[in-house]
């Protein structure tokens, strides 16, 4: 083979490999379903691309507030009237009441990865902040007095279901509840978390083997520059927490306009891999209407999924 022929063959091979090499540029985030509640109590599902908005359950069902969704997306824990109930997501009418007298100040809950346990933060009169733990196999509730509002921003189970972590509303102290698998007898162990002083947004954090404990925080409240939303992560099993940032987006939407405004009804939910966030917020300081917004790793700003000028959109759950 002549030199020119060898050069041509090598060039052809390199061109072929270049065509087969996957692009390193980040592609669009996957379209996931989001379960959310209209202010009137009806539940809907919508894609993170803003398409396929449809009601969950037939018309005429009572008002629902979703507390938690199982990892497989099949089971939802709900507030219905004065009860906590479990129901298949596709058949809310077959729900089963598991707690018949709601405690005060109930907050967002969490399922363990295997779906066996449900945790619901609340306030016990005379006892203070607490967490209700339900074991679906034993059909049993335990009440854990944590003594600090350490779960009011939302709890998350560890991947093995043996621990529960949450971020406090005032001092952002981290507490870990260690749950014995045999008898559900819990004890609390406070861990220092003074490094997490950026106000998180009320919602549903996650705790995975790959990423650790993940939660959404607001940046820019006390520092110069544009306000941002940051997905933070740390490892409760490491003494210093091993804090790190997974991604950051500007708080101003990609469609233009001012930063999003967060109020009492603002909540968020994370994908399990930590690459996507869904949240509710006001798109302008005048609080004229509410919306569902999304952000993804590799993106620069939040983008709108759904807006409504007549009622709040509440309690979004990003299904995986």
């Amino acid at each position: 083979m002549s030199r020119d022929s060898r050069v041509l063959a090598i060039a052809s091979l390199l061109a072929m490999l270049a065509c087969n090499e996957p692009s390193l540029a980040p592609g669009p985030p996957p379209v996931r379903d989001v379960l959310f509640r209209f202010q009137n109590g009806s539940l809907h599902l919508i894609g993170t691309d803003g398409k396929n908005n449809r009601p969950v359950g037939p018309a005429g069902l009572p008002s629902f507030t979703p507390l938690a969704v199982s990892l497989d997306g099949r089971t939802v824990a709900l507030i219905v009237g004065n009860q906590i109930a479990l129901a298949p997501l596709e058949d809310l009418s077959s729900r089963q009441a598991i707690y018949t007298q709601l405690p005060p100040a109930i907050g967002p809950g969490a399922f363990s990865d295997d779906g066996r346990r449900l945790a619901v933060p609340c306030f016990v009169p005379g006892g203070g902040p607490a967490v209700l733990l339900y074991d679906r196999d034993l059909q049993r509730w335990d009440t854990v007095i944590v003594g600090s509002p350490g779960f009011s921003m939302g709890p998350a189970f560890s991947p093995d279901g043996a621990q529960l972590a949450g971020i406090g509303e005032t001092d952002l102290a981290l507490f870990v509840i260690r749950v014995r698998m045999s008898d559900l007898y819990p004890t609390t162990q406070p861990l220092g978390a003074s490094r997490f002083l950026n106000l998180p947004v009320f919602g549903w954090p996650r705790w995975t083997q790959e990423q650790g404990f993940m939660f959404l925080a607001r940046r820019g409240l006390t520092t110069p520059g544009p306000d941002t939303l940051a997905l933070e992560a740390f490892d409760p099993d490491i003494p210093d927490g091993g804090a790190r940032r997974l991604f950051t987006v500007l708080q101003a939407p990609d469609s233009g306009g001012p930063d999003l405004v967060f109020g009492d009804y603002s909540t968020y939910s994370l994908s399990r891999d930590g690459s996507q966030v869904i949240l509710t917020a006001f798109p302008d300081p005048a609080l004229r209407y509410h919306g569902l917004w999304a952000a993804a790793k590799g993106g620069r700003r939040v983008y709108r999924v759904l807006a409504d000028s007549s009622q709040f959109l509440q309690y979004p759950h990003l299904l995986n």
Side-chain angles (χ1 to χ4, degrees), residues 270-309:
L270 308 174
S271 64
R272 181 172 174 78
D273 63 1
S275 67
Q276 209 167 4
V277 176
I278 189 81
L279 62 142
T280 59
F282 298 96
D284 64 78
L287 310 184
R288 286 176 291 191
Y289 60 96
H290 211 230
L292 277 177
W293 306 82
K297 186 175 183 179
R300 176 171 167 76
R301 299 174 180 270
V302 295
Y303 65 90
R304 189 175 71 184
V305 176
L306 181 67
D308 193 282
S309 58

Side-chain angles (χ1 to χ4, degrees), residues 86 112 114-118 134-140 181 184:
L86 297 179
S112 57
D114 60 6
R116 174 182 170 180
R117 290 177 173 81
L118 172 68
Y134 181 68
D135 188 299
R136 296 174 66 186
D137 291 346
L138 302 177
Q139 297 185 7
R140 164 181 160 178
M181 301 295 287
L184 270 182

Side-chain angles (χ1 to χ4, degrees), residues 193-284:
S194 59
R195 67 177 66 248
F196 307 114
L197 294 179
N198 293 279
L199 181 66
V201 182
F202 181 83
W204 286 265
R206 281 190 183 272
W207 191 348
T208 68
Q209 189 71 41
E210 299 77 16
Q211 304 291 358
F213 185 89
M214 301 180 288
F215 66 96
L216 193 66
R218 293 171 61 186
R219 299 278 176 176
L221 299 180
T222 58
T223 57
D227 282 354
T228 61
L229 291 170
L231 185 58
E232 305 281 321
F234 63 92
D235 188 344
D237 294 325
I238 297 177
D240 65 358
R244 60 196 179 280
R245 187 177 301 179
L246 300 182
F247 70 84
T248 303
V249 293
L250 292 176
Q251 209 166 298
D254 60 1
S255 54
D259 289 353
L260 298 183
V261 178
F262 297 95
D264 292 339
Y265 290 101
S266 297
T267 47
Y268 76 90
S269 178
L270 308 174
S271 64
R272 181 172 174 78
D273 63 1
S275 67
Q276 209 167 4
V277 176
I278 189 81
L279 62 142
T280 59
F282 298 96
D284 64 78

Side-chain angles (χ1 to χ4, degrees), residues 77-150:
L78 304 156
I79 295 177
V80 188
N82 200 35
Q83 300 178 342
I84 298 176
L86 297 179
L89 184 57
E90 300 298 333
D91 186 12
L92 300 182
S93 60
S94 64
R95 63 192 178 275
Q96 176 186 8
I98 58 173
Y99 201 91
T100 56
Q101 188 67 34
L102 284 183
I106 195 168
F111 279 103
S112 57
D113 281 5
D114 60 6
R116 174 182 170 180
R117 290 177 173 81
L118 172 68
V120 180
C122 65
F123 188 88
V124 175
V131 177
L132 300 175
L133 292 172
Y134 181 68
D135 188 299
R136 296 174 66 186
D137 291 346
L138 302 177
Q139 297 185 7
R140 164 181 160 178
W141 286 96
D142 282 277
T143 303
V144 184
I145 306 297
V146 297
S148 172

Side-chain angles (χ1 to χ4, degrees), residues 107-108 121 130-131 146 148-156 164-169 175-177:
V131 177
V146 297
S148 172
F151 293 87
S152 54
M153 291 283 181
L164 188 73
I167 303 177
E169 188 175 12
F175 289 83
V176 174
I177 291 181

